[in-house]
Amino acid sequence: MAWYLLKTWVGKEEELAREFRSTVPSHMYQECFVIYQERIWRKQQRSVVHVEPLLPGCVFLTCEETNPFTKTISFYDKLRKVPFVSRLMINGNLTILPVMRQDEEFLYRISGRKHLVELSYVTKDEDGQICKISDPLKTCREQIVRVQLKKRYAMVRHRLWGEDQAIVLGIMLKEDANQKILYGNGEEGSFSNEKL
Protein backbone atom coordinates (compact mmCIF):
# COMPACT_ATOMS: atom_id res chain seq x y z
CA MET A 1 0.00 0.00 0.00
CA ALA A 2 1.29 3.48 -0.83
CA TRP A 3 0.46 6.57 1.20
CA TYR A 4 0.03 10.08 -0.16
CA LEU A 5 -0.19 13.35 1.76
CA LEU A 6 -2.88 15.79 0.63
CA LYS A 7 -1.71 19.12 2.04
CA THR A 8 -4.47 21.70 2.46
CA TRP A 9 -5.38 24.71 4.61
CA VAL A 10 -5.41 24.24 8.39
CA GLY A 11 -8.99 23.69 9.54
CA LYS A 12 -10.11 22.30 6.16
CA GLU A 13 -8.86 18.75 6.68
CA GLU A 14 -12.16 16.96 7.33
CA GLU A 15 -13.95 19.01 4.68
CA LEU A 16 -11.34 17.96 2.10
CA ALA A 17 -11.47 14.28 3.15
CA ARG A 18 -15.29 14.25 2.99
CA GLU A 19 -15.35 15.96 -0.42
CA PHE A 20 -12.63 13.64 -1.70
CA ARG A 21 -14.52 10.52 -0.61
CA SER A 22 -17.73 11.70 -2.24
CA THR A 23 -16.12 12.93 -5.49
CA VAL A 24 -13.17 10.69 -6.39
CA PRO A 25 -14.10 7.20 -7.73
CA SER A 26 -13.61 4.65 -4.94
CA HIS A 27 -11.68 2.24 -7.20
CA MET A 28 -8.81 4.79 -7.32
CA TYR A 29 -7.90 4.59 -3.63
CA GLN A 30 -8.36 2.51 -0.51
CA GLU A 31 -8.74 5.11 2.26
CA CYS A 32 -8.85 8.89 2.64
CA PHE A 33 -8.49 10.03 6.25
CA VAL A 34 -7.30 12.60 8.76
CA ILE A 35 -5.15 11.39 11.64
CA TYR A 36 -6.65 12.67 14.89
CA GLN A 37 -5.36 12.71 18.44
CA GLU A 38 -6.98 12.76 21.86
CA ARG A 39 -6.08 15.66 24.14
CA ILE A 40 -7.17 16.58 27.66
CA TRP A 41 -8.24 20.03 28.75
CA ARG A 42 -8.52 20.70 32.46
CA LYS A 43 -11.69 22.68 33.24
CA GLN A 44 -12.96 23.31 36.77
CA GLN A 45 -10.95 20.40 38.22
CA ARG A 46 -12.33 18.02 35.58
CA SER A 47 -10.65 16.29 32.66
CA VAL A 48 -12.31 17.04 29.32
CA VAL A 49 -11.15 14.94 26.37
CA HIS A 50 -11.39 16.40 22.90
CA VAL A 51 -10.15 15.23 19.51
CA GLU A 52 -8.14 17.37 17.09
CA PRO A 53 -6.02 16.76 13.98
CA LEU A 54 -2.55 15.46 14.83
CA LEU A 55 -0.99 17.22 11.84
CA PRO A 56 -2.99 20.34 10.93
CA GLY A 57 -3.57 20.74 7.20
CA CYS A 58 -2.79 17.07 6.44
CA VAL A 59 -5.12 14.50 4.88
CA PHE A 60 -3.84 11.04 3.97
CA LEU A 61 -4.70 8.76 1.11
CA THR A 62 -3.78 5.10 0.64
CA CYS A 63 -3.85 3.18 -2.63
CA GLU A 64 -2.27 0.20 -4.32
CA GLU A 65 1.38 0.76 -5.16
CA THR A 66 2.05 1.23 -8.85
CA ASN A 67 5.07 -0.32 -10.48
CA PRO A 68 7.28 2.51 -11.80
CA PHE A 69 8.74 0.20 -14.48
CA THR A 70 5.43 -0.38 -16.25
CA LYS A 71 4.08 1.99 -18.87
CA THR A 72 0.80 2.55 -17.01
CA ILE A 73 -0.28 6.05 -15.98
CA SER A 74 0.81 6.83 -12.44
CA PHE A 75 -1.69 7.22 -9.62
CA TYR A 76 -0.72 10.87 -9.27
CA ASP A 77 -1.47 11.55 -12.96
CA LYS A 78 -4.83 9.77 -12.69
CA LEU A 79 -5.69 11.79 -9.60
CA ARG A 80 -4.85 15.10 -11.26
CA LYS A 81 -7.43 14.32 -13.96
CA VAL A 82 -10.29 14.21 -11.43
CA PRO A 83 -11.99 17.65 -11.83
CA PHE A 84 -12.37 18.24 -8.07
CA VAL A 85 -8.69 17.50 -7.40
CA SER A 86 -7.49 19.42 -10.45
CA ARG A 87 -9.48 22.51 -9.45
CA LEU A 88 -8.04 22.51 -5.91
CA MET A 89 -4.49 22.10 -7.21
CA ILE A 90 -4.85 24.94 -9.73
CA ASN A 91 -6.24 27.25 -7.03
CA GLY A 92 -3.33 26.40 -4.73
CA ASN A 93 -5.60 24.76 -2.14
CA LEU A 94 -4.07 21.30 -2.46
CA THR A 95 -0.62 19.79 -2.82
CA ILE A 96 -0.18 16.03 -3.25
CA LEU A 97 3.04 14.41 -2.05
CA PRO A 98 4.09 10.76 -1.74
CA VAL A 99 4.75 9.70 1.86
CA MET A 100 8.08 8.00 2.54
CA ARG A 101 7.87 4.48 3.96
CA GLN A 102 9.45 5.44 7.30
CA ASP A 103 6.95 8.31 7.74
CA GLU A 104 4.06 5.99 6.94
CA GLU A 105 5.31 3.38 9.44
CA PHE A 106 5.72 5.97 12.20
CA LEU A 107 2.24 7.43 11.68
CA TYR A 108 0.65 3.99 11.55
CA ARG A 109 2.56 2.90 14.68
CA ILE A 110 1.19 5.78 16.77
CA SER A 111 -2.34 6.01 15.30
CA GLY A 112 -3.18 2.43 14.25
CA ARG A 113 -6.10 1.35 12.09
CA LYS A 114 -8.44 3.89 13.69
CA HIS A 115 -6.14 6.75 12.63
CA LEU A 116 -6.42 8.06 16.19
CA VAL A 117 -3.49 8.75 18.52
CA GLU A 118 -4.94 7.86 21.90
CA LEU A 119 -3.86 9.40 25.18
CA SER A 120 -0.70 7.96 26.71
CA TYR A 121 -0.69 7.20 30.43
CA VAL A 122 2.22 8.83 32.28
CA THR A 123 3.18 8.24 35.93
CA LYS A 124 5.52 10.34 38.06
CA ASP A 125 7.77 9.37 40.94
CA GLU A 126 7.96 11.22 44.31
CA ASP A 127 10.23 13.88 42.76
CA GLY A 128 7.75 14.59 39.96
CA GLN A 129 9.93 12.89 37.35
CA ILE A 130 8.35 10.65 34.71
CA CYS A 131 8.93 6.99 35.53
CA LYS A 132 6.43 5.17 33.29
CA ILE A 133 4.90 5.89 29.86
CA SER A 134 2.37 3.83 27.87
CA ASP A 135 1.92 3.63 24.11
CA PRO A 136 1.72 5.48 21.81
CA LEU A 137 4.14 7.92 23.49
CA LYS A 138 6.30 5.01 24.65
CA THR A 139 7.29 4.31 21.03
CA CYS A 140 8.68 7.88 20.84
CA ARG A 141 10.30 7.97 24.29
CA GLU A 142 13.78 8.80 22.96
CA GLN A 143 12.36 11.70 20.95
CA ILE A 144 10.53 13.49 23.81
CA VAL A 145 11.82 17.05 24.12
CA ARG A 146 9.30 18.48 26.59
CA VAL A 147 6.53 17.28 28.89
CA GLN A 148 3.88 19.65 30.26
CA LEU A 149 2.08 17.69 32.97
CA LYS A 150 -0.33 20.51 33.87
CA LYS A 151 -1.30 21.00 30.23
CA ARG A 152 -1.36 17.23 29.63
CA TYR A 153 0.94 16.93 26.66
CA ALA A 154 4.37 15.75 25.58
CA MET A 155 6.25 17.26 22.65
CA VAL A 156 8.12 14.84 20.42
CA ARG A 157 10.72 15.83 17.83
CA HIS A 158 10.44 13.50 14.85
CA ARG A 159 11.58 13.67 11.24
CA LEU A 160 8.59 13.75 8.84
CA TRP A 161 8.58 14.74 5.17
CA GLY A 162 12.37 15.05 5.39
CA GLU A 163 12.20 17.80 8.07
CA ASP A 164 12.29 17.86 11.86
CA GLN A 165 8.75 18.29 13.17
CA ALA A 166 7.51 19.09 16.66
CA ILE A 167 4.53 16.83 17.33
CA VAL A 168 2.39 17.29 20.43
CA LEU A 169 0.81 14.13 21.90
CA GLY A 170 -1.82 14.06 24.64
CA ILE A 171 -1.11 12.43 27.99
CA MET A 172 -3.16 11.50 31.03
CA LEU A 173 -2.09 11.24 34.65
CA LYS A 174 -3.24 9.12 37.57
CA GLU A 175 -5.62 11.87 38.74
CA ASP A 176 -7.31 11.78 35.31
CA ALA A 177 -7.65 8.01 35.38
CA ASN A 178 -9.21 8.05 38.87
CA GLN A 179 -12.15 10.26 37.93
CA LYS A 180 -14.95 10.36 35.44
CA ILE A 181 -13.95 12.25 32.37
CA LEU A 182 -16.06 14.42 30.14
CA TYR A 183 -15.67 14.07 26.39
CA GLY A 184 -15.92 17.22 24.32
CA ASN A 185 -19.32 16.05 23.01
CA GLY A 186 -20.74 16.10 26.57
CA GLU A 187 -20.65 12.32 27.16
CA GLU A 188 -19.14 10.99 30.38
CA GLY A 189 -16.75 8.06 30.45
CA SER A 190 -13.68 6.68 32.14
CA PHE A 191 -10.22 5.74 30.95
CA SER A 192 -9.43 2.17 30.03
CA ASN A 193 -7.52 0.24 32.68
CA GLU A 194 -5.37 -1.31 29.94
CA LYS A 195 -3.09 1.73 30.04
CA LEU A 196 -2.64 1.75 33.81
Side-chain angles (χ1 to χ4, degrees):
M1 220 32 73
W3 282 39
Y4 288 85
L5 167 62
L6 308 180
K7 194 83 172 106
T8 189
W9 298 104
V10 173
K12 299 285 187 182
E13 304 90 356
E14 193 54 52
E15 182 182 324
L16 173 64
R18 209 173 25 252
E19 188 74 22
F20 191 96
R21 289 189 293 260
S22 67
T23 308
V24 177
S26 60
H27 69 272
M28 290 183 67
Y29 67 97
Q30 183 182 28
E31 278 188 286
C32 181
F33 58 91
V34 178
I35 297 177
Y36 287 99
Q37 67 163 321
E38 293 179 332
R39 292 287 305 276
I40 291 182
W41 287 335
R42 293 288 293 165
K43 290 183 179 178
Q44 300 171 345
Q45 303 299 315
R46 297 202 59 193
S47 299
V48 179
V49 176
H50 74 282
V51 176
E52 61 187 45
L54 175 68
L55 300 162
C58 296
V59 177
F60 297 90
L61 182 67
T62 61
C63 66
E64 292 293 326
E65 283 191 77
T66 54
N67 185 341
F69 301 107
T70 64
K71 301 222 184 253
T72 59
I73 298 173
S74 74
F75 171 76
Y76 179 77
D77 290 330
K78 287 180 189 175
L79 201 54
R80 283 190 336 186
K81 291 181 181 178
V82 175
F84 162 71
V85 173
S86 178
R87 188 176 65 249
L88 287 176
M89 292 178 77
I90 289 168
N91 294 336
N93 295 330
L94 178 66
T95 305
I96 302 174
L97 304 165
V99 176
M100 292 185 287
R101 182 70 68 194
Q102 62 266 28
D103 295 345
E104 169 191 325
E105 288 169 358
F106 169 75
L107 293 171
Y108 187 79
R109 196 168 56 246
I110 64 172
S111 68
R113 289 179 183 242
K114 295 189 289 183
H115 311 301
L116 175 69
V117 182
E118 296 178 337
L119 293 166
S120 297
Y121 184 69
V122 173
T123 57
K124 306 172 284 185
D125 60 21
E126 301 82 37
D127 300 323
Q129 299 299 311
I130 293 173
C131 60
K132 184 178 174 186
I133 301 174
S134 75
D135 281 330
L137 186 58
K138 184 178 179 180
T139 63
C140 316
R141 186 177 199 135
E142 301 303 315
Q143 299 163 303
I144 297 172
V145 293
R146 183 183 336 147
V147 176
Q148 286 283 345
L149 298 176
K150 285 186 179 182
K151 294 187 177 181
R152 305 298 198 268
Y153 75 81
M155 183 178 290
V156 171
R157 179 86 45 202
H158 187 82
R159 197 158 184 79
L160 281 176
W161 339 131
E163 300 175 2
D164 278 348
Q165 304 279 337
I167 303 169
V168 175
L169 300 176
I171 61 173
M172 67 173 162
L173 305 176
K174 186 175 182 179
E175 53 263 38
D176 300 316
N178 290 337
Q179 65 174 288
K180 288 278 186 198
I181 57 164
L182 184 65
Y183 286 89
N185 61 8
E187 293 180 18
E188 279 200 359
S190 58
F191 288 116
S192 166
N193 287 335
E194 292 173 12
K195 294 185 183 244
L196 306 181

